[in-house]
Amino acid sequence: MLERVICVAIGYLFGLFQTSYLYGRANHMDIREHGSGNAGTTNALRTMGKKAGALTLLGDCLKCVLAIWVVRILYRGDHADILPLLSMYAGAGCILGHNFPIYLNFRGGKGVAASVGLVLALDWRVFVICAVVFFTLYFTTHYVSLCSISAYLVALIVMSIFGWLGYYGMETARVWEMDGVLACLTALAIFRHRQNIRRLLNGNENKIFLKKGKKA
C-alpha cells in the first residue's frame, strides 16, 4: 500500500505543473477566467490559439510520462513484477494533480492530455488504437469532448483485455486492481465532461476546427 501512496504522490506533484495556466500568466491572463473556465488543452486552443493548445497538450502529456518514468526507475528493482500497476497509480496521481491543483484552489483541467501521457507511457499499442479512434471521430464530428470520452472508454476496454491476456505480466489480483484504477479515471473524465455531455445531448456543444476562423 505504501508504494501505491508514494506513486500517487509523485504523480500529483508532477500534475501540479499547469501548462496552460502558466502560459496564460506569461501572457498576462488567467485562462480559468476565459472560455470554459478550465486549465486544459481545449480551452487553451479556444482562447489562446493553436500554439498555446499545442504547448499545453505537449506539456500536460509530458508531465505524466515523466511521473511514470520516475516511478519505474524507483521501483524497477524490488517491484518489477507490478510496475504497470504502480505506473497506473503514478498516472492517476498526475491526473488528480492536473484536475485539482492545490495552489489553484483545486481548479485545474479535465485531465485528457495528462491521460494521453498515461496511455503512451503504459502501452504504445493502446495509444495508437486510441489515437485512431480520437482522430476518426474528430474528422467526422469535430466534437473534441466526444472524441476524448470515446478514446478514454476505448483505453479502458483495450487495456483491460491486454491485461487479462497477460500482456502486462501481472497476477490476476493486480490486473483487477489496475482495471479498477483505470475505471475510476474513466468515470472521473466523464464527470469532468458532464457539461459537455449535456450540451452534446442538447445539440449545443461547440465544434472545433483546426483551420483558423472555423469554430462553431
Side-chain angles (χ1 to χ4, degrees):
M1 182 59 68
L2 178 60
E3 291 80 8
R4 290 158 175 76
V5 173
I6 292 173
C7 290
V8 171
I10 290 172
Y12 186 86
L13 289 175
F14 274 91
L16 293 178
F17 184 88
Q18 296 286 322
T19 311
S20 64
Y21 175 79
L22 296 174
Y23 184 92
R25 280 304 189 190
N27 288 276
H28 312 291
M29 67 173 288
D30 185 344
I31 189 173
R32 298 171 305 156
E33 297 176 356
H34 301 269
S36 64
N38 78 85
T41 300
T42 303
N43 199 33
L45 176 64
R46 284 172 171 162
T47 60
M48 296 186 290
K50 289 186 286 186
K51 179 181 178 181
L55 288 174
T56 300
L57 174 62
L58 179 62
D60 289 348
C61 176
L62 183 60
K63 67 187 180 186
C64 197
V65 172
L66 291 175
I68 291 174
W69 180 70
V70 169
V71 164
R72 285 181 173 173
I73 291 177
L74 186 62
Y75 290 110
R76 63 186 176 185
D78 295 338
H79 298 283
D81 57 322
I82 59 168
L83 270 182
L85 175 62
L86 296 180
S87 298
M88 180 67 75
Y89 276 106
C94 186
I95 292 168
L96 290 175
H98 175 80
N99 288 357
F100 310 107
I102 189 170
Y103 71 100
L104 295 178
N105 297 317
F106 303 102
R107 289 181 56 206
K110 296 178 180 177
V112 174
S115 300
V116 172
L118 167 62
V119 175
L120 179 60
L122 277 175
D123 194 328
W124 66 268
R125 298 162 298 186
V126 179
F127 170 79
V128 170
I129 294 171
C130 290
V132 170
V133 170
F134 182 96
F135 286 108
T136 298
L137 285 173
Y138 174 77
F139 288 115
T140 54
T141 70
H142 297 285
Y143 290 121
V144 173
S145 56
L146 174 63
C147 301
S148 301
I149 295 170
S150 299
Y152 234 115
L153 291 170
V154 168
L156 173 61
I157 294 170
V158 176
M159 199 167 288
S160 296
I161 292 173
F162 283 3
W164 287 106
L165 289 176
Y167 288 6
Y168 303 130
M170 297 189 299
E171 60 184 38
T172 301
R174 302 300 177 237
V175 173
W176 273 114
E177 187 177 353
M178 186 172 172
D179 289 346
V181 175
L182 186 54
C184 289
L185 292 177
T186 303
L188 177 61
I190 294 173
F191 176 77
R192 298 287 284 178
H193 283 86
R194 62 193 183 281
Q195 294 181 355
N196 303 84
I197 295 172
R198 190 177 299 115
R199 288 194 295 266
L200 279 168
L201 294 175
N202 293 331
N204 298 323
E205 176 70 332
N206 288 331
K207 295 182 178 183
I208 294 182
F209 297 84
L210 295 180
K211 292 183 179 180
K212 187 177 180 179
K214 293 193 68 180
K215 183 179 72 175

